[in-house]
Amino acid sequence: QKEVEQNSGPLSVPEGAIASLNCTYSDRVSQSFFWYRQYSGKSPELIMSIYSNGDKEDGRFTAQLNKASQYVSLLIRDSQPSDSATYLCAVNVSPNYGGSQGNLIFGKGTKLSVKP
Amino acid sequence: EPEVTQTPSHQVTQMGQEVILRCVPISNHLYFYWYRQILGQKVEFLVSFYNNEISEKSEIFDDQFSVERPDGSNFTLKIRSTKLEDSAMYFCASSPLMGDRGSKNIQYFGAGTRLSVL
């Protein structure tokens, strides 16, 4: 059973602080990793994608990938109250073959609360 | 900015009835997906579709479910005889051809259809 694990939280940080969100996955052949943000009652919105070991930065967001440890993280710098949402880690678990690009396996999400 | 469009936003139906959920993927995308999210639970993969056929499906996607691309723009999910446990948010997603402008199966989600089975 391929699994993606996240701490459900809630994670509470003060405005302006760094929020650190973590995710582990079980399938070693996973190739693509994504962080989505989901506001209550809304659809997942892509925040970051990462495919290689190391860090990838985009504005206030940094994704980190360690394939040896099967670990993905998301750092949010200068956290804002508008960042309060559930953050979903998603992993593409299928290798590409034929007509398949694979599907996403999601974690349960970490609820982030940024206090003003 | 192009987006995935889903209709209706909310569907209420009686147990045993058939429902069709509709999606218009982003126009130049070639891969289409359905996911569902039961209230308070994780997003779960149902089915992927490419080149007018199912690419992959999960255990959830049993004989009660079917997908279709009836024309060049719409992508539908049909549930033949709804059960109470089918109540969930259903998300459609699409992605471009692998490797297009460096994308690697980046899936863009529609706003979802909330299905309520009474």
Side-chain angles (χ1 to χ4, degrees):
Chain A
Q1 184 79 358
K2 295 168 183 173
E3 296 285 343
V4 176
E5 299 289 342
Q6 294 181 257
N7 187 327
S8 61
L11 173 66
S12 184
V13 301
E15 184 175 355
I18 295 175
S20 177
L21 305 162
N22 305 313
C23 170
T24 58
Y25 60 94
S26 63
D27 185 40
R28 285 197 166 271
V29 301
S30 300
Q31 299 177 354
S32 307
F33 307 87
F34 306 90
W35 284 99
Y36 284 85
R37 177 173 63 197
Q38 187 176 34
Y39 293 111
S40 181
K42 302 297 185 182
S43 63
E45 174 193 6
L46 182 70
I47 298 296
M48 292 283 288
S49 60
I50 187 166
Y51 312 108
S52 306
N53 281 327
D55 295 359
K56 178 181 177 183
E57 186 174 318
D58 184 1
R60 295 188 295 113
F61 300 97
T62 298
Q64 299 173 317
L65 174 61
N66 184 326
K67 289 187 178 181
S69 300
Q70 295 175 241
Y71 177 87
V72 195
S73 67
L74 179 70
L75 299 177
I76 307 174
R77 289 181 298 282
D78 188 23
S79 296
Q80 301 296 309
S82 57
D83 294 327
S84 298
T86 297
Y87 287 80
L88 309 179
C89 175
V91 176
N92 183 327
V93 297
S94 297
N96 300 320
Y97 61 88
S100 173
Q101 285 208 46
N103 61 78
L104 296 179
I105 303 296
F106 283 85
K108 288 186 177 179
T110 298
K111 187 169 184 178
L112 173 66
S113 177
V114 181
K115 304 293 187 185
Chain B
E1 186 170 325
E3 60 181 21
V4 177
T5 305
Q6 290 187 244
T7 55
S9 57
H10 189 191
Q11 176 82 53
V12 181
T13 189
Q14 296 290 325
M15 190 169 56
Q17 295 297 303
E18 175 184 286
V19 294
I20 297 176
L21 309 182
R22 291 184 165 79
C23 169
V24 178
I26 295 172
S27 63
N28 63 342
H29 285 188
L30 298 178
Y31 295 84
F32 315 120
Y33 311 83
W34 284 102
Y35 292 82
R36 79 171 185 190
Q37 187 176 31
I38 295 170
L39 187 64
Q41 298 189 25
K42 65 172 77 173
V43 177
E44 299 174 290
F45 168 73
L46 293 178
V47 65
S48 61
F49 192 87
Y50 169 71
N51 200 24
N52 285 319
E53 62 182 20
I54 290 174
S55 302
E56 291 182 81
K57 59 183 180 180
S58 70
E59 293 176 353
I60 303 169
F61 194 87
D62 60 23
D63 292 344
Q64 292 299 311
F65 292 89
S66 63
V67 289
E68 192 178 36
R69 187 155 166 82
D71 54 43
S73 60
N74 289 284
F75 179 52
T76 62
L77 174 69
K78 181 192 290 186
I79 309 174
R80 288 189 184 82
S81 177
T82 50
K83 308 182 191 69
L84 295 176
E85 54 265 37
D86 292 327
S87 295
M89 280 288 283
Y90 287 80
F91 296 112
C92 175
S94 69
S95 67
L97 183 65
M98 172 69 71
D100 180 31
R101 287 173 290 173
S103 66
K104 294 191 180 184
N105 195 24
I106 292 178
Q107 297 184 22
Y108 298 90
F109 283 72
T113 293
R114 179 171 300 283
L115 177 64
S116 299
V117 182
L118 306 178

